[in-house]
Amino acid sequence: MHHFLAAATAALLAVAATPASAALPVGAKAPDFTTMGSLNGKPFRLNLKEQLKNGPLVLYFYPKAFTEGCTLEAKAFSDAIPAFRKAGARVVGLSADNLDTLKKFSVEACRGQFPVATANPDLIKAYDVKLPVAPISNRTSYVIAQDGRVTFVHSEMSWKEHVAQTLAAVQALKKK
């Protein structure tokens, strides 16, 4: 297992500066799913259709909890939650991490501000966010309108623009 994690980490570093690829284009219907997640350390069942009842959703996939980029991205989303709420949107993070890891990550990195959930291989495939070199997701952020359609996609292994890009997309969606 240690060798796998070392290889996966090396692979992540090798592609960190390269764009990821996302096959769900703007206008596509976002695949519905149900999975387990955690909000502020408390487990719950997360369903896409239920999340969309409250407005648009930023659904962001990240490779691995507690790695530097994923932790910084989660903290950046956490800091921006008031702006997302003002724009009427929710944020959900997804990764291949297990529920126990996500419970801890939801408290420490997400600061209890938004849920993170487990993306199983079928979910990663449905959203076409699999990292080519490991059985985990790349870093792709989707903005999904309340009707379930993808309105924005940002797919880039660097975490730095995901929050600003998705917030701008949500704010533009609100103005329509």
Side-chain angles (χ1 to χ4, degrees):
M1 182 66 165
H2 176 59
H3 294 307
F4 169 76
L5 290 176
T9 300
L12 283 174
L13 292 174
V15 297
T18 62
S21 66
L24 292 184
V26 169
K29 186 79 169 163
D32 192 25
F33 64 89
T34 299
T35 189
M36 290 302 294
S38 181
L39 176 60
N40 202 24
K42 294 177 176 51
F44 73 101
R45 187 179 72 83
L46 185 129
N47 174 262
L48 178 65
K49 284 184 181 176
E50 289 174 14
Q51 291 293 314
L52 291 173
K53 288 178 182 177
N54 300 300
L57 181 70
V58 173
L59 189 66
Y60 85 94
F61 289 84
Y62 61 95
K64 184 90 178 111
F66 297 109
T67 57
E68 182 180 15
C70 296
T71 299
L72 291 170
E73 181 180 31
K75 288 180 178 179
F77 269 114
S78 174
D79 290 344
I81 288 298
F84 281 103
R85 285 186 182 138
K86 184 176 179 183
R90 292 180 172 213
V91 173
V92 172
L94 288 165
S95 76
D97 292 301
N98 64 40
L99 188 57
D100 287 338
T101 300
L102 293 174
K103 285 180 190 177
K104 187 176 175 187
F105 193 67
S106 73
V107 172
E108 293 179 21
C110 305
R111 303 174 185 150
Q113 295 296 306
F114 64 93
V116 286
T118 297
N120 65 31
D122 290 338
L123 181 55
I124 289 170
K125 183 178 180 183
Y127 279 83
D128 198 21
V129 294
K130 184 183 176 301
L131 196 62
V133 296
I136 57 179
S137 71
N138 63 27
R139 189 177 317 278
T140 299
S141 298
Y142 291 102
V143 174
I144 303 170
Q146 200 165 4
D147 68 1
R149 298 265 174 214
V150 174
T151 63
F152 178 81
V153 181
H154 182 70
S155 193
E156 176 72 39
M157 285 306 290
S158 171
W159 65 272
K160 294 179 181 177
E161 292 297 318
H162 284 262
V163 174
Q165 295 279 330
T166 55
L167 181 57
V170 167
Q171 290 168 333
L173 189 61
K174 186 177 182 179
K175 291 178 184 176
K176 287 185 179 182

